[in-house]
Amino acid sequence: MSHLLPLSRVAKLINQPRHKLQEVIRSGLLATFDGMVELEELLRMFPEVKWDDDAEFRRVQEIKDKAFAKRVYEGVLPGKDVLAARLTELGDEYAAARTLLLHYGNVMTWLDEKIDEFDEDASPETHHALHSVRAFLLRNLAEMPPDALLAQTTIAQERILKVMSAHVTIQPSGHEFIVEGNDTLLDAALRNGVSLNYGCSNGNCGECKARLVSGEVKKVRAYDYVMKQVDKDAGMILMCAYAPVNDVVLDASVEDANAIPVQRLNAKVKSVEIFNPQMAALHLLTPRSQRLRYLGGQSIDVSIDGGHGRYAIASCPCEDRNIELQIPHRPGDVLTDAVFTALKAGDTVALEGPFGEFVLDEDSPRPVIFLAFGVGFAPIKSLVQHAMSLELAESIDLHWVADEAGLYQDNLCRTWTDALDNFNYLPHAMTDDLDALLKSIVLDYPDLQRFDVYAAGSAEQLELARLHFVGEGLHDARWFAGVTGD
Ligand code: FES
């Protein structure tokens, strides 16, 4: 009987991002069956993987956590109820495997006795044949196949992963992600860049209802929403209150930018980070009862002390209740003056949004070029983090062209380069000759028709860049632009 593994778990087992695995599958070198990989096939394709050496993986993971401001898990252990349920399931599997083994042992004993029985009156030819069969069986039972130890190690690691985490498939979209630690299904989906439909995120509105198609879930958060009997009968659950016990399939809708409603909420200032006299980051925390729903690359209206403005969100939806806005200083403007001189931790900021359709095409596995002009870095930062959460892009190049505010998060971009083997950061100094700079950038991509390009800056900068990229072979439909800083 073959041992099948879901792709997300295989990616973890071989310590590789999902896009690497997808590349191998697309090239036809690794066969899949309904999105699963056979253990034998995996060992054939990755015989050199050092299953017991995860030091490098942990190092990269730590850098990633730091680079993406993600919460570092508290030991990544699931809650005790979920853990108990997973261990019970593992125990059941062990018991079933052991029972099967005992059964095979009994069959072998029976077979041995039958051979003796037949052998009593057998002709010399039959005696020889029976002897050969017995010798064949004994030899093969005594000798383990050469890759048995590797298979055993792999299965053991996969079982540990199954206790620590669960694999989720969303249908009909086909998104997949892993749920770790104490995360609910919704927490994990957002952390992995999957924009499921939801509202309050704390069990009040019922917006996150989804149908459990297969697998088992457990309630890990209390909720007030009263589920109708008809929904219960249909297998509906609240994704913000349940965690998977084992691998589950859910029927749930993944939203695009237009489907996300405009929300109004007050957020608290966590901190104001002044990068330099021209640029600051405003770190906000939304209320526990009202998380902001948005996609990477979208913008939001901000009101502070009678001042208003629309800003691209620089954080990733995977960052839970944390929102980052990047605010260029415009002296005399009420809002930006407040940010640079008066705003402090604990103050309240009114938000309304999200707006805009400058979002990632989540279904595209193409290599991506991000192009940020000055403060256009804010939405690009959000998109980069979203792209990295999805782990689907073959490669990511980030070009950041400085303006007066400089490359104010240059170190962060360099950290991304250290953390991710498919990420390249290409900073560019401020220039009076943007045309020449763009010309030199596109020259580095002789195969532009393979790429998706996301660019953010002023309308003028974007139009010039579009002409260069499309002129050198980029498909017009693969050019995505977000206007900022006008
Ligand atoms: S998001 Fe409101 S109940 Fe789950």
Side-chain angles (χ1 to χ4, degrees):
M1 202 191 320
S2 60
H3 187 84
L4 294 171
L5 305 153
L7 286 185
S8 304
R9 193 166 287 132
V10 168
K12 283 219 162 213
L13 279 168
I14 61 170
N15 294 345
Q16 295 289 331
R18 287 226 304 271
H19 68 88
K20 279 262 170 75
L21 202 56
Q22 299 283 11
E23 266 172 48
V24 181
I25 292 166
R26 275 198 298 275
S27 68
L29 291 170
L30 181 68
T32 58
F33 310 89
D34 284 337
M36 310 279 263
V37 177
E38 241 175 359
L39 176 63
E40 296 74 23
E41 183 71 358
L42 179 66
L43 296 179
R44 181 191 62 74
M45 190 61 220
F46 298 99
E48 79 289 358
V49 169
K50 293 190 187 74
W51 302 99
D52 56 354
D53 179 14
D54 67 346
E56 179 61 12
F57 180 67
R58 275 189 277 111
R59 186 190 71 79
V60 170
Q61 194 58 43
E62 274 166 25
I63 297 173
K64 269 192 193 177
D65 286 337
K66 205 170 149 211
F68 294 107
K70 282 187 180 172
R71 167 171 73 82
V72 177
Y73 293 115
E74 317 81 32
V76 286
L77 267 181
K80 63 179 186 324
D81 286 351
V82 171
L83 191 59
R86 287 188 190 154
L87 288 173
T88 304
E89 189 174 280
L90 195 66
D92 289 345
E93 273 181 34
Y94 174 75
R98 185 116 186 102
T99 307
L100 199 63
L101 212 56
L102 284 171
H103 174 63
Y104 289 164
N106 290 336
V107 171
M108 277 309 301
T109 308
W110 176 86
L111 208 56
D112 202 36
E113 287 168 2
K114 278 287 167 204
I115 288 174
D116 281 343
E117 214 177 295
F118 291 143
D119 203 16
E120 276 175 17
D121 307 314
S123 63
E125 293 79 19
T126 312
H127 170 79
H128 180 73
L130 287 170
H131 180 78
S132 300
V133 169
R134 194 202 308 262
F136 171 82
L137 287 173
L138 290 176
R139 192 173 58 249
N140 278 283
L141 282 173
E143 269 174 28
M144 293 292 263
D147 62 353
L149 196 60
L150 192 53
Q152 190 182 324
T153 312
T154 312
I155 292 174
Q157 292 229 359
E158 194 251 344
R159 296 290 109 165
I160 290 169
L161 275 182
K162 267 190 110 162
V163 170
M164 303 296 277
S165 62
H167 178 265
V168 179
T169 307
I170 301 293
Q171 64 178 39
S173 71
H175 283 86
E176 294 176 53
F177 56 91
I178 296 273
V179 183
E180 294 175 294
N182 282 314
D183 277 352
T184 62
L185 287 157
L186 180 64
D187 290 335
L190 297 177
R191 202 182 295 289
N192 287 279
V194 181
S195 39
L196 294 173
N197 187 31
Y198 75 100
C200 64
S201 77
N202 62 0
N204 283 309
C205 67
E207 292 280 317
C208 67
K209 264 189 299 191
R211 190 171 71 83
L212 183 64
V213 178
S214 66
E216 199 187 327
V217 293
K218 238 186 170 37
K219 189 170 98 176
V220 290
R221 306 251 170 95
Y223 59 87
D224 293 332
Y225 179 77
V226 181
M227 187 83 78
K228 290 191 187 122
Q229 192 56 44
V230 60
D231 284 344
K232 282 188 193 162
D233 294 345
M236 292 292 192
I237 55 154
L238 292 182
M239 291 185 290
C240 69
Y242 282 82
V245 168
N246 46 26
D247 294 351
V248 302
V249 177
L250 291 176
D251 208 339
S253 55
V254 176
E255 302 294 334
D256 62 24
N258 291 319
I260 299 179
V262 171
Q263 304 140 72
R264 286 178 197 83
L265 62 143
N266 288 329
K268 289 281 178 212
V269 174
K270 270 179 80 180
S271 63
V272 179
E273 185 182 3
I274 308 281
F275 295 122
N276 58 45
Q278 284 88 33
M279 181 58 70
L282 186 52
H283 297 280
L284 303 172
L285 191 66
T286 63
R288 235 174 254 288
S289 58
Q290 204 182 1
R291 194 153 146 168
L292 178 73
R293 230 176 110 200
Y294 67 97
L295 295 179
Q298 288 193 294
S299 300
I300 193 150
D301 283 353
V302 186
S303 301
I304 303 170
D305 291 341
H308 310 280
R310 180 168 292 186
Y311 295 93
I313 303 170
S315 45
C316 165
C318 57
E319 287 177 43
D320 206 2
R321 295 160 52 213
N322 297 290
I323 309 272
E324 181 188 336
L325 303 171
Q326 295 187 344
I327 315 276
H329 194 193
R330 289 195 296 271
D333 175 84
V334 177
L335 187 146
T336 68
D337 281 348
V339 169
F340 276 79
T341 60
L343 213 59
K344 57 186 186 315
D347 286 350
T348 300
V349 170
L351 303 176
E352 181 175 342
F355 302 103
E357 295 174 25
F358 181 51
V359 296
L360 208 63
D361 176 358
E362 294 184 4
D363 297 326
S364 172
R366 301 156 72 90
V368 181
I369 299 169
F370 287 109
L371 183 58
F373 294 105
V375 298
F377 178 70
I380 293 293
K381 179 182 173 187
S382 178
L383 288 174
V384 166
Q385 292 178 99
H386 189 172
M388 295 321 311
S389 298
L390 289 172
E391 287 190 347
L392 278 181
E394 182 186 314
S395 68
I396 295 178
D397 286 2
L398 166 62
H399 292 266
W400 188 3
V401 184
D403 64 4
E404 296 75 19
L407 304 172
Y408 52 88
Q409 287 204 293
D410 190 59
N411 282 345
L412 174 69
C413 300
R414 293 183 192 283
T415 315
W416 288 341
T417 309
D418 290 343
L420 308 162
D421 59 3
N422 64 335
F423 183 87
N424 301 303
Y425 171 48
L426 302 119
H428 303 280
M430 197 162 84
T431 177
D432 290 333
D433 193 351
L434 188 57
D435 192 58
L437 174 61
L438 288 165
K439 202 174 196 168
S440 72
I441 290 175
V442 293
L443 273 181
D444 283 339
Y445 299 96
D447 51 352
L448 263 179
Q449 68 283 353
R450 291 178 57 236
F451 285 79
D452 288 346
V453 178
Y454 293 83
S458 70
E460 201 184 330
Q461 290 165 327
L462 292 175
E463 183 50 21
L464 187 59
R466 191 187 71 79
L467 289 174
H468 276 280
F469 277 86
V470 173
E472 289 302 320
L474 178 76
H475 294 302
D476 222 354
R478 306 318 299 170
W479 168 260
F480 303 89
V483 178
T484 56
D486 271 356

